[in-house]
Amino acid sequence: MITTAAPVGRYVDHVMGMPVSLALRGRHTDDRTAQRAWAEAMASLHEADRVFSTYRVDSAVSRLARGELTVDQCPSEVAEVLALGELARRQSDGAFDVRRDGVLDPSGVVKGWAVERAARPLVALPDTDVCLSGGGDLICRVASPDSPPWRIGIEDPADPARVVAVVPVRCGAVATSGRAHRGDHVVDARTGRAPDGIASVTVVHAELTSADIDATAAYAMGRDAARWLRTRPRRTGLVVWADGRREVVP
Amino acid sequence: MKRIVLSLLSTVSAVVLLFGYHTSTSGPAATAQAPVGASLSTTSTTTSSGGAGGSGAGGSGAGGSAEGTGGTTVTGGVAQTRWGPVQVRLTIDTTGTITDVEVPQYPAGNREDEQINSYALPVLVQETLDAQSADIDMVSGATVTSDGYIRSLQSALDQAFS
């Protein structure tokens, strides 16, 4: 049995159909300051849900999709998220698209973006290491270069109770996309079909918004995933192929 | 507060991949594609809501908005990022379709954060591990949903530490 050096404060809640898990080490793990920051983070995610959820008929995005609102009548972050989606579409040669058959669904951009925004009050905690996961996409920060890295397990797409790799991250983001995510919902926007030959893609990058988008875009590309990911600046990653082979993208 | 870690990762034969990994810190070649990644990520720092307030970024959300021929142009605020100033502008036509995205300002160069790269390479574990044997803090995966949470590895980790 190992005794722990630094106590870890743990928090869990649910929003947008996903669990949100938080780990804190350092000065503020379970005091009022930490609890307030956690509450702010959750409030930020609930706000994102109100604006972006395609499951809520009254969200700004749902109203935009029905033509009841224009983009500039929506909260300003809607235009921001759409711009991110459009950049991703171009960078992925169309494999990633927030519109399919004319239907707007920016969910592929929103999750990472919303978790990154929600992490701000937590990252601002002084002398505190933070690891925040929103549905398996996460942000890591440590307060000092001497702090040990957060150790992030990458889920085995064939068996979610297991991990296939571990990535130690001090400051950065990790995002994973795969077929198991709420069913078969990621498709190659160019073909409308689920990608072939691939089980999951994990991207490690400085920021979660782009890590999440790239993981989804690479996954949508199927057999081209690793090749494309190599062209992306300052990312590392892991591709798990449908046959179980694992390929680290340095 | 006890950890459930029963065996250290070092007891598992791990494969550390050593091939040609570079930290991409240097040179114009390394920065050639930087604007794209930087602009994607830094637009998110321009949002002003979210509770943290200032954050030192010089950005605001979608700043200017102007009617042009055939649509609306929305220009994001200029965000001061560690890579330099970044700004994104998009044009939306009357049907709500984005017809153009420009990046009027992006960093010319960058100072790569070595800290991120030097620690962020996934280490394959030769045998798959479960929560009981992997010394991990959090799980990144595509199946992490509220429906399946209670049976998940992440749930085990969350409970073990609290």
Side-chain angles (χ1 to χ4, degrees):
Chain A
M1 189 58 63
I2 298 159
T3 53
T4 113
V8 178
R10 290 265 172 179
Y11 300 77
V12 185
D13 204 342
H14 294 261
V15 63
M16 300 158 102
M18 67 184 186
V20 182
S21 299
L22 169 67
L24 298 173
R25 295 185 304 217
R27 189 197 293 182
H28 298 291
T29 56
D30 56 5
D31 59 4
R32 289 183 66 89
T33 306
Q35 287 161 9
R36 198 177 307 122
W38 167 238
E40 276 184 48
M42 286 308 301
S44 172
L45 288 169
H46 281 288
E47 169 64 17
D49 189 40
R50 278 190 292 275
V51 172
F52 289 102
S53 175
T54 54
Y55 295 94
R56 292 171 176 263
V57 291
D58 60 340
S59 72
V61 158
S62 293
R63 297 186 65 198
L64 177 66
R66 290 196 301 269
E68 295 170 16
L69 294 177
T70 62
V71 171
D72 49 358
Q73 287 171 332
C74 292
S76 63
E77 58 261 40
V78 171
E80 181 183 348
V81 161
L82 292 179
L84 288 166
E86 177 60 14
L87 279 171
R89 187 184 68 79
R90 292 172 182 222
Q91 291 166 3
S92 67
D93 289 328
F96 183 105
D97 200 334
V98 296
R99 286 169 198 275
R100 193 156 60 245
D101 303 328
V103 179
L104 176 68
D105 182 2
S107 306
V109 177
V110 169
K111 186 173 153 194
W113 175 88
V115 172
E116 185 147 46
R117 183 178 75 166
R120 286 183 197 168
L122 297 163
V123 167
L125 289 171
D127 300 322
T128 304
D129 300 343
V130 179
C131 183
L132 176 70
S133 167
D137 294 337
L138 45 95
I139 285 175
C140 305
R141 291 286 184 280
V142 294
S144 152
D146 301 328
S147 301
W150 293 103
R151 296 179 53 80
I152 309 305
I154 298 176
E155 177 189 89
D156 182 350
D159 179 358
R162 293 174 174 273
V163 297
V164 291
V166 176
V167 55
V169 183
R170 284 192 168 85
C171 295
V174 185
T176 300
S177 286
R179 74 185 151 205
H181 183 76
R182 291 194 199 172
D184 235 351
H185 88 310
V186 175
V187 300
D188 185 335
R190 297 168 296 192
T191 63
R193 289 202 296 268
D196 198 31
I198 194 161
S200 73
V201 177
T202 299
V203 174
V204 185
H205 182 51
E207 259 125 354
L208 183 55
T209 304
S210 36
D212 183 33
I213 289 173
D214 274 22
T216 305
Y219 176 75
M221 290 183 193
R223 297 182 195 281
D224 288 330
R227 197 178 315 148
W228 180 76
L229 205 48
R230 274 196 192 83
T231 69
R232 306 290 292 142
R234 302 195 305 276
R235 275 94 165 146
T236 65
L238 176 73
V239 174
V240 181
W241 301 104
D243 62 7
R245 278 181 305 120
R246 297 166 291 172
E247 181 172 351
V248 172
V249 179
Chain B
M1 187 89 56
K2 70 184 171 68
R3 305 190 75 168
I4 54 162
V5 176
L6 301 178
S7 60
L8 284 172
L9 187 66
S10 58
T11 66
V12 177
S13 53
V15 181
V16 182
L17 294 179
L18 298 172
F19 52 84
Y21 180 60
H22 62 91
T23 53
S24 76
T25 53
S26 57
T31 64
Q33 290 209 41
V36 173
S39 62
L40 255 184
S41 51
T42 50
T43 35
S44 66
T45 67
T46 65
T47 13
S48 46
S49 52
S55 86
S60 57
S65 178
E67 287 292 324
T69 52
T72 302
T73 299
V74 182
T75 304
V78 176
Q80 295 301 329
T81 76
R82 73 184 104 167
W83 297 288
V86 176
Q87 188 178 35
V88 173
R89 176 189 300 147
L90 71 158
T91 305
I92 304 145
D93 72 13
T94 48
T95 68
T97 303
I98 296 171
T99 55
D100 194 23
V101 177
E102 296 166 84
V103 184
Q105 265 201 63
Y106 54 78
N110 72 84
R111 288 282 170 275
E112 177 53 355
D113 33 357
E114 282 198 56
Q115 190 191 25
I116 290 166
N117 267 346
S118 50
Y119 293 100
L121 201 56
V123 177
L124 294 182
V125 286
Q126 212 157 43
E127 302 293 326
T128 52
L129 304 172
D130 57 27
Q132 303 304 314
S133 59
D135 181 12
I136 57 176
D137 296 301
M138 208 68 92
V139 176
S140 179
T143 70
V144 187
T145 64
S146 290
D147 288 346
Y149 173 75
I150 201 73
R151 297 177 301 278
S152 71
L153 195 52
Q154 184 62 56
S155 171
L157 289 167
D158 291 338
Q159 289 169 32
F161 287 94
S162 55

